[in-house]
Amino acid sequence: MIIKRKPIIAGNWKMYKTVSQALAFVNELKRAVDEIKDVEVVVCPPFTALFQVSEALRGTGIGVGAQNVYWVDEGAFTGEISPLMLKEAGCSYVIIGHSERRQYFGEVDDYVNRKIKAVLAHGLTPIMCVGERIEERESGITEKIIKTQTEAGLAGLVADQAAGLVIAYEPVWAIGTGKTASDADAQQVIGFIRKLVSDLYGADVAAKVRIQYGGSVKPQNAAGLMAQPDIDGALVGGASLDVDSFSGIVKAAAGV
Ligand code: 13P
C-alpha cells in the first residue's frame, strides 16, 4: 500500500519577533497561504508570542509550534516551560533537539528523548531535529551521527508514537550559512533516516513518518528538495521571517 504523506513546512523563528511583530506577520501570512491545499503550514514563534499567535490563527489551518520544552508538567524549574503550558497556549508541535540548543544550551540525546516522551504524553507532535556538523561530514561519519541521534531520540517509543513524529534533518553546516545540502545529499540522508525507522518499527511506520529537510531553505531551492521521494517538507529558519519568502516555500511544496 502506498501512503501519501502530507508535506509540512514549519517556520522556526528562533529568537526573532516581538508579540506585535508576530501578530502582524501571521495576519499577513493567513492571506498569503489561504488558497494552498495539501501542505501543512506551521509557525514556531518564541514562547512569549505563542498564545496570541495561536488565537490569531484559530480556524485557519495554520498550526503553531514551540521551539523547546521541559519534560516535567510543573515544578520548581526556574525559566522552564512545560508541555501542559504549551498545549494550553495553543501549540500542537514542539521543535526538540535543534542543533542550536545542542550547541549553546547543553542539550544531549537523553534530554531530547525525555522531551519527546513528555510532549507525546500530552498529545503534542515533536519535530525532532538531527544533523551532523561539518567536521563529522568531512570525516565520513554522517550516517553514524544520524543513527546515534535518531535511535537515542526514539528510544522507548512504541510504533504508533513513532509513526506520528516529524523528524527534521538539519545538517549543522547548512544552517544560516546559505549552503544548502544538494537535493541528492539531502535525499540520501533522509532516505537513511527512513531506513532507520523501518529497522526499528517496520516498513509501515517508516512509510508514515514525515521527515523534513532544514538548512538554508529558500523559495528558489525548495521545489528541488521537495521533489525528492523521502523529503516531506522543510524546517525553515531565516526565510520563515518574511511572509513572501515563507509563503513562496509553501507554494513550492504545493507545486504551485
Ligand atoms: P536557516 O533556514 O536560517 O538556515 O535555519 C534552519 C534552521 O535552523 C531551522 O530550524
Side-chain angles (χ1 to χ4, degrees):
M1 186 178 64
I2 294 178
I3 295 171
K4 186 146 172 26
R5 296 180 295 269
K6 189 171 187 176
I8 172 166
I9 304 293
N12 173 11
W13 293 2
K14 309 192 178 182
M15 199 174 72
Y16 290 98
K17 296 194 192 294
T18 63
V19 176
S20 57
Q21 291 168 337
L23 288 174
F25 178 94
V26 294
N27 285 325
E28 220 187 301
L29 180 68
K30 279 196 271 201
R31 288 189 289 274
V33 299
D34 190 37
E35 308 279 286
I36 306 291
K37 303 279 173 274
D38 302 324
V39 174
E40 201 171 339
V41 181
V42 177
V43 292
C44 303
F47 287 131
T48 44
L50 285 175
F51 178 72
Q52 277 165 285
V53 164
S54 301
E55 293 290 302
L57 291 176
R58 194 187 285 271
T60 62
I62 300 175
V64 177
Q67 300 172 20
N68 186 28
V69 66
Y70 192 56
W71 57 76
V72 175
D73 280 356
E74 60 180 10
F77 299 102
T78 301
E80 294 299 312
I81 306 279
S82 80
L84 205 60
M85 294 167 180
L86 294 180
K87 192 167 182 183
E88 203 177 297
C91 288
S92 34
Y93 290 92
V94 187
I95 298 172
I96 296 176
H98 191 279
S99 63
E100 286 150 16
R101 297 220 52 89
R102 295 178 192 255
Q103 185 177 350
Y104 304 126
F105 302 101
E107 189 132 326
V108 294
D109 289 334
D110 173 55
Y111 294 4
V112 174
N113 181 246
R114 288 169 190 246
K115 291 178 178 191
I116 289 174
K117 287 177 178 157
V119 308
L120 285 169
H122 288 282
L124 300 166
T125 300
I127 301 178
M128 176 180 82
C129 301
V130 298
E132 82 286 3
R133 291 176 293 156
I134 188 65
E135 59 274 23
E136 293 164 341
R137 171 159 287 258
E138 284 172 351
S139 51
I141 57 167
T142 297
E143 290 192 350
K144 179 168 170 276
I145 298 294
I146 298 299
K147 184 172 195 290
T148 302
Q149 291 178 352
T150 304
E151 290 182 350
L154 300 183
L157 265 58
V158 299
D160 277 356
Q161 292 175 318
L165 281 187
V166 177
I167 301 175
Y169 167 56
E170 298 206 311
V172 180
W173 47 271
I175 295 178
T177 58
K179 282 190 217 150
T180 321
S182 68
D183 297 347
D185 283 348
Q187 163 59 32
Q188 194 270 325
V189 178
I190 289 178
F192 174 72
I193 295 171
R194 199 174 301 285
K195 167 84 170 44
L196 287 174
V197 175
S198 178
D199 292 346
L200 290 169
Y201 296 102
D204 282 359
V205 171
K208 285 185 190 150
V209 70
R210 291 185 293 177
I211 312 180
Q212 299 172 308
Y213 167 78
S216 298
V217 177
K218 299 184 174 46
Q220 299 83 328
N221 58 27
L225 289 160
M226 296 308 121
Q228 303 304 309
D230 285 301
I231 303 184
D232 306 316
L235 185 56
V236 186
S240 76
L241 298 172
D242 174 84
V243 172
D244 284 346
S245 57
F246 188 56
S247 59
I249 293 167
V250 172
K251 286 173 189 161
V256 297

